[in-house]
Amino acid sequence: MEKAKFYPVKGYIDFQKGATADIERFWEKEAEKLEWFKHWDKVLEWEEPFAKWFVGGKLNASYLCIDRHLYSWHKNKVALYWEDEAGNTKAYSYFQLYREVNKFASMLENLGVKKGDRVVLYLPMIPELTIAMLATVRIGAIHTVVFSGYSSQALADRINDTSAEVLIAADVGLRRGKYIPLKQIVDEALKAAPAIKKVVVIKRTKEEINMVAGRDLLYHDLIRDAKDYVEPKPMESMHPLFILYTSGTTGKPKGVVHSTGGYLVYINSTYKWVFDISDESVYWCTADVGWVTGHTSIVYAPLLHGATVLMYEGAPDYPHPDRWWEMIEKYGVTIFYTSPTAIKMFMRYGDERIKKHNLSSLKILGSVGEAINPEVWGWYYKNIGGERCPIVDTWWQTETGGIMISPVPGIELVPLKPGSATLPLPGIDAEVVDEEGNPVDTSVKGHLVIRKPWPGMLMGLYNNPERYKEAYWSKFKGLFYTGDYATKDEDGYFWLLGRTDEVLKVAGHRLGTAEVEGAVVEAPFVAEAAVIGKPDPIKGENIIVFAILKEGYKPADNLKQEIIKEVRKQIGPIATPQEIHFVDKLPKTRSGKIMRRVLKTIMMDKPVGDLSTLEDEASIDEVKAVYEEFKQVMKKKA
Ligand code: AMP
């Protein structure tokens, strides 16, 4: 079998620098690779911190992802394979996808959805999610996908922020052999989000569901009256394509808005470079479409390239731990993209189960969501990639729209260093800076920033330009603040070192400490709470809660259960705390800020470090004592 070929770093760095020196010229050439209904007048209008890309240009994402493929042999190739954990399957050719998307778009028009309207999609990993996204953008509406693991409260918050009037949902989702009652969650959410006028329900099962007369409609009824062609509307390049909520430093999630032209140009080029994707690829990204990785990797980028996408609904190791390897073998997956958390979970199952499967179709492996440590990298490389597939460790965020730092085997494969995302993509001016915003020396830890705009960058935060400026452009003048720590080594390779802010990464999912704290204090007996992430060998981080009880309440296990229930209700099961500790005081600065750093070091049995700003030393002693007691109890249980 052929081994990966590596090229010297220098050649690529020269090319990368050349591209980055004149971003307008570089991205203009990349934009030519898409089909535009109207050519742009200007490549970039940059009025910091707002970038306008390909001004005056018009295009349509649905046309680019589907219609365009109907004029070639792609028409009858598989665009989308879908399988669930129970083994049910579906396949759509590009033509079939086109038919479904057109009908869905017509249905939306019949419901009165117009250009610029927001459509909320609360759907599990089913083909209708891809169809709904492409249908929404076909008519110039804007989709907001809400991860179907989010609770009713989280769904209501997102609906209210977008003031959407139409919601698309399914009766149920499927996970670990159980139905998740999504329609029930929607009914609960809509009590707190009354702006929704129409709910379209995709019924997958015979399960009984509640239908509210005048509001709830069945997809299968509506689609009967739908036309089979709706013109893909030429959209201005700067028309928003979607809003996607992500966690930040305050309790309220941020509605990240991506543009049509810039986003599509960016992901079209970067998926070619990073994954060497083509119409021959069978591309499988295991993320949920509810995250940016899923938006870009399960829907837009592979379809732009006429590839075949594989979509899987269910848990990775259900009903047995071979499930994923079985799928790679069955569909001949060529590009496989997953998270370090998932790989670590499979490492525990050992490699014997993998050896039973023929994974020789694989060409490139990807990793995303958190840093991949060298041991995990090595295991992935050897056991899944058979020591012949390069691993692309891709660094990016909801805000960046697409991959920013990664090896680029589609251009030139530089030597890989396990644990490093390697080098910025062409046109990306990434740097590591100190507190003053000056580049740090080799191997010194600093803040990862981006110094020049790029087409995939967010347009802003929905209806909140001030928060956009504050969150990303206020820490360093003229530099986009990513919120990540990094270092650069002597070859200029980037090593990502985790978040600088109050953002947790649990199994690759992004959650704000403030968001979880907000949910904890919803429990009527909690006076105050602090949340930290404690490093976990599999999940990256676990959520640890410190709570102060209100007068009259005593620490008890049932209160812990209540808190867990509350967090699951407010956010969803992904935010379930692993440990809850009751304390009388939290360590705070004299200005009243909770010192989460101190809590974290105690949890990790490390020295607490500088305490000069601490208000009350007794709070530290108490946390230490509570934690010691907890450790003793755990030891006994073990
Ligand atoms: P999200 O916006 O949910 O995709 O989360 C983005 C954050 O995930 C980044 O700011 C990083 O902290 C982390 N992240 C994503 N990819 C990587 C990677 N390859 N290496 C290290 N951290 C990553």
Side-chain angles (χ1 to χ4, degrees):
M1 231 161 268
E2 212 185 315
K3 292 245 173 198
K5 276 200 195 87
F6 295 100
Y7 297 88
V9 183
K10 194 179 170 314
Y12 173 70
I13 289 188
D14 286 347
F15 167 69
Q16 199 281 344
K17 283 205 171 132
T20 311
D22 188 348
I23 50 169
E24 291 191 33
R25 215 180 90 185
F26 179 72
W27 289 116
E28 173 150 45
K29 269 205 335 261
E30 294 304 312
E32 305 281 3
K33 295 178 180 163
L34 291 182
E35 209 181 306
W36 294 73
F37 293 147
K38 181 176 173 288
H39 198 274
W40 53 91
D41 306 316
K42 204 160 177 226
V43 178
L44 173 64
E45 271 175 25
W46 176 226
E47 272 178 47
E48 194 196 307
F50 296 96
K52 289 189 182 147
W53 285 94
F54 312 112
V55 184
K58 289 194 176 177
L59 73 176
N60 183 285
S62 178
Y63 174 86
L64 288 166
C65 288
I66 342 175
D67 302 41
R68 175 167 77 116
H69 300 307
L70 303 183
Y71 307 113
S72 70
W73 66 273
H74 294 157
K75 179 176 176 182
N76 297 317
K77 72 162 283 194
V78 175
L80 177 64
Y81 283 122
W82 171 85
E83 184 159 335
D84 69 8
E85 56 182 25
N88 297 308
T89 60
K90 280 186 187 173
Y92 295 80
S93 67
Y94 271 92
F95 179 74
Q96 288 172 313
L97 193 59
Y98 164 82
R99 269 274 180 273
E100 298 290 328
V101 168
N102 273 282
K103 283 196 187 156
F104 206 113
S106 165
M107 177 194 78
L108 290 175
E109 281 190 338
N110 292 343
L111 288 172
V113 177
K114 297 178 304 298
K115 177 181 171 187
D117 288 351
R118 279 81 52 217
V119 177
V120 177
L121 310 178
Y122 186 63
L123 290 167
M125 289 282 283
I126 54 176
E128 287 81 356
L129 177 48
T130 303
I131 292 165
M133 288 164 79
L134 293 170
T136 306
V137 300
R138 190 170 185 88
I139 60 172
I142 303 161
H143 59 71
T144 297
V145 180
V146 179
F147 170 56
S148 64
Y150 273 131
S151 68
S152 55
Q153 187 58 50
L155 173 60
D157 291 346
R158 286 156 179 77
I159 295 172
N160 289 334
D161 198 60
T162 56
S163 53
E165 295 184 358
V166 173
L167 170 75
I168 317 287
D171 53 351
V172 298
L174 179 71
R175 197 151 173 109
R176 296 200 179 278
K178 286 204 197 92
Y179 287 142
I180 298 153
L182 297 179
K183 176 60 170 59
Q184 213 173 299
I185 298 172
V186 166
D187 289 343
E188 193 55 38
L190 296 193
K191 288 183 195 159
I196 293 286
K197 294 206 175 92
K198 296 283 174 222
V199 178
V200 178
V201 185
I202 299 171
K203 204 139 178 348
R204 317 173 58 199
T205 66
K206 296 202 167 64
E207 298 280 293
E208 278 229 356
I209 49 165
N210 169 47
M211 295 290 282
V212 175
R215 186 195 74 184
D216 299 353
L217 304 157
L218 285 175
Y219 170 65
H220 297 95
D221 292 341
L222 296 176
I223 216 74
R224 260 185 253 127
D225 302 325
K227 290 188 294 186
D228 57 16
Y229 180 72
V230 171
E231 190 211 356
K233 285 213 167 49
M235 301 312 307
E236 301 79 24
S237 174
M238 283 307 288
H239 182 74
L241 189 70
F242 62 83
I243 305 169
L244 184 58
Y245 285 84
T246 189
S247 298
T249 46
T250 65
K252 215 168 149 268
K254 302 190 272 198
V256 169
V257 186
H258 279 290
S259 70
T260 305
Y263 171 79
L264 292 174
V265 167
Y266 191 67
I267 65 164
N268 184 57
S269 295
T270 53
Y271 273 61
K272 182 80 210 149
W273 303 335
V274 173
F275 293 108
D276 201 16
I277 195 168
S278 73
D279 53 11
E280 290 178 11
S281 306
V282 180
Y283 188 96
W284 186 19
C285 164
T286 66
D288 193 285
V289 174
W291 314 116
V292 74
T293 308
H295 275 56
T296 306
S297 315
I298 302 175
V299 182
Y300 291 108
L303 296 179
L304 279 177
H305 286 279
T308 297
V309 180
L310 177 58
M311 186 184 209
Y312 175 67
E313 182 188 16
D317 55 348
Y318 187 89
H320 49 76
D322 299 19
R323 200 64 190 94
W324 279 11
W325 322 127
E326 220 171 57
M327 299 266 295
I328 292 177
E329 181 171 11
K330 175 173 173 185
Y331 292 98
V333 171
T334 61
I335 306 167
F336 179 64
Y337 193 26
T338 193
S339 68
T341 296
I343 305 165
K344 282 183 258 180
M345 187 190 79
F346 285 113
M347 284 171 74
R348 277 190 316 182
Y349 290 123
D351 28 339
E352 280 313 307
R353 289 172 175 279
I354 300 161
K355 289 198 190 118
K356 288 196 295 191
H357 299 280
N358 180 347
L359 306 183
S360 61
S361 58
L362 288 171
K363 292 191 172 140
I364 289 183
L365 301 177
S367 172
V368 65
E370 59 201 294
I372 178 165
N373 75 42
E375 189 202 344
V376 178
W377 195 103
W379 186 91
Y380 192 30
Y381 184 72
K382 178 164 176 267
N383 294 287
I384 308 302
E387 294 182 323
R388 79 198 134 71
C389 305
I391 295 178
V392 290
D393 176 359
T394 60
W395 179 87
W396 55 306
Q397 337 177 273
T398 308
E399 292 84 347
T400 66
I403 297 161
M404 302 287 277
I405 304 177
S406 169
V408 283
I411 303 177
E412 200 166 272
L413 187 59
V414 297
L416 302 175
K417 298 188 191 183
S420 166
T422 71
L423 298 158
L425 266 45
I428 299 303
D429 189 3
E431 190 50 277
V432 181
V433 300
D434 62 17
E435 290 299 328
E436 275 70 55
N438 301 315
V440 294
D441 291 336
T442 301
S443 302
V444 174
K445 178 173 167 177
H447 299 274
L448 176 65
V449 296
I450 315 294
R451 298 192 289 199
K452 284 184 182 172
W454 68 100
M457 74 187 268
L458 70 169
M459 290 170 67
L461 295 178
Y462 190 65
N463 274 345
N464 207 339
E466 286 313 312
R467 193 171 174 204
Y468 167 65
K469 286 184 203 159
E470 168 63 30
Y472 306 107
W473 299 93
S474 65
K475 184 160 172 77
F476 300 113
K477 182 141 183 34
L479 306 176
F480 174 82
Y481 176 58
T482 66
D484 276 25
Y485 281 126
T487 60
K488 261 167 61 171
D489 69 14
E490 61 288 354
D491 294 319
Y493 279 40
F494 284 69
W495 297 76
L496 278 305
L497 303 172
R499 299 286 307 182
T500 61
D501 54 15
E502 314 270 301
V503 169
L504 307 168
K505 270 289 186 163
V506 181
H509 302 315
R510 188 164 152 183
L511 292 162
T513 49
E515 202 177 353
V516 185
E517 284 162 5
V520 174
V521 297
E522 284 293 317
F525 49 83
V526 175
E528 205 180 344
V531 164
I532 58 152
K534 182 177 168 183
D536 175 84
I538 307 256
K539 283 160 73 186
E541 278 183 305
N542 272 319
I543 295 177
I544 314 292
V545 172
F546 290 86
I548 301 178
L549 292 171
K550 284 187 182 158
E551 288 254 332
Y553 290 95
K554 287 212 164 62
D557 278 348
N558 68 320
L559 298 187
K560 291 187 181 175
Q561 291 312 317
E562 286 293 311
I563 290 177
I564 291 176
K565 230 166 86 190
E566 198 57 50
V567 173
R568 291 170 73 104
K569 185 172 139 214
Q570 298 286 330
I571 306 174
I574 46 167
T576 306
Q578 218 223 5
E579 289 171 26
I580 298 170
H581 303 288
F582 295 115
V583 288
D584 286 328
K585 282 193 200 106
L586 288 166
K588 288 188 181 167
T589 61
R590 276 177 218 124
S591 59
K593 272 186 123 188
I594 297 172
M595 296 176 82
R596 293 185 188 79
R597 164 183 69 80
V598 172
L599 291 171
K600 201 164 173 164
T601 49
I602 297 173
M603 290 291 108
M604 291 166 67
D605 290 317
K606 286 200 178 140
V608 284
D610 177 25
L611 290 179
S612 52
T613 57
L614 181 72
E615 187 200 38
D616 183 354
E617 288 252 2
S619 60
I620 302 278
D621 297 336
E622 195 201 351
V623 171
K624 278 185 178 162
V626 166
Y627 186 53
E628 266 318 305
E629 199 184 316
F630 170 79
K631 280 200 297 193
Q632 294 306 327
V633 173
M634 295 312 282
K635 225 188 222 166
K636 269 196 203 136
K637 275 194 185 162

